[in-house]
Amino acid sequence: MAVYELAALGRHRWWWRLHRALPRHFRGIRPGRLERTHPERDSLAYGETPAISVRRLLQVSGLAPGARFIDLGSGRGLAALSAASLGYPSEGLELFPEYVERSNRVAAELKLPARFTQGDLVRDPWPEGELYYLASTAFGHQTRQLLLERFNGLPPGALVATLDWSLPLEGRVAFYLPVTWGLALCQLYATES
Ligand SMILES: C[S@@+](CC[C@H](N)C(=O)[O-])C[C@H]1O[C@@H](n2cnc3c(N)ncnc32)[C@H](O)[C@@H]1O
């Protein structure tokens, strides 16, 4: 957790509750280790998007609270749980059931409008939402092609935000966001309306 995040969000009760609940429910799970159990996959880098960056993304998106935030590859659920804490109902799709089960437990304990489902973000159906967030960046060429087709198939006007991946979609805005491994270029797109 960074000092600037503490300074910006430390006065919010939801932020403390989230940062106490996550380590408690994820005790014994080492993010980054699970991913190595699938060496054949090209997309299993681990890192997290801190709450402060989720708040910035939501502000830049212009979406009002109530809009649905979808995290494709939700990991421990930090991004989706942060969005839910800020008033944006969230859903996460995640490959590892170990994450999904615990993220759902955190959401239930904190009474947050966030839900997590086990699935493959490349092939399985995506939840419906207004903003789709993709923070996994270690995708190979073939996976990127498949994901691009999925983005193009989203309903008109849906927003897509990626980290360190430029898409051939209508670009709205690009800005840097702090993530757990440094800064990432976040790019926000709108599907054709
Ligand atoms: C870099 S982490 C990001 C976690 C979270 N979105 C955040 O920003 O805090 C990427 C997550 O995507 C998951 N993931 C990668 N490929 C996936 C796939 N094909 N289907 C579902 N989840 C996947 C990984 O297991 C990991 O938990």
Side-chain angles (χ1 to χ4, degrees), residues 26-169:
F26 280 85
R27 197 165 289 144
I29 296 268
R30 297 271 297 272
R33 284 255 170 107
L34 272 179
E35 287 69 13
R36 282 181 236 148
T37 61
H38 279 268
E40 76 284 1
R41 282 198 174 248
D42 65 9
S43 62
L44 296 179
Y46 198 87
E48 285 185 334
T49 310
I52 187 92
S53 294
V54 174
R55 188 178 73 160
R56 175 94 185 108
L57 169 61
L58 290 167
Q59 282 167 347
V60 171
S61 76
L63 291 169
R68 293 161 299 175
F69 176 87
I70 309 299
D71 190 4
L72 300 170
S74 46
R76 293 195 310 162
L78 178 61
L81 291 162
S82 300
S85 302
L86 291 161
Y88 296 79
S90 301
E91 291 202 37
L93 186 62
E94 168 58 47
L95 197 63
F96 289 104
E98 293 90 336
Y99 289 146
V100 170
E101 189 217 335
R102 287 170 173 79
S103 307
N104 276 320
R105 273 200 249 142
V106 176
E109 180 182 300
L110 302 184
K111 299 189 173 50
L112 288 173
R115 202 167 70 104
F116 298 87
T117 309
Q118 194 279 328
D120 183 340
L121 67 92
V122 181
R123 291 183 179 79
D124 289 327
W126 291 353
E128 276 180 33
E130 281 70 46
L131 173 56
Y132 290 79
Y133 179 58
L134 182 68
S136 319
T137 51
F139 297 120
H141 179 69
Q142 205 184 354
T143 307
R144 284 175 198 256
Q145 283 303 116
L146 290 167
L147 285 172
L148 202 48
E149 283 168 30
R150 302 288 305 268
F151 286 132
N152 277 317
L154 285 173
L159 298 181
V160 174
T162 57
L163 291 189
D164 290 332
W165 181 22
S166 302
L167 303 177
L169 292 177

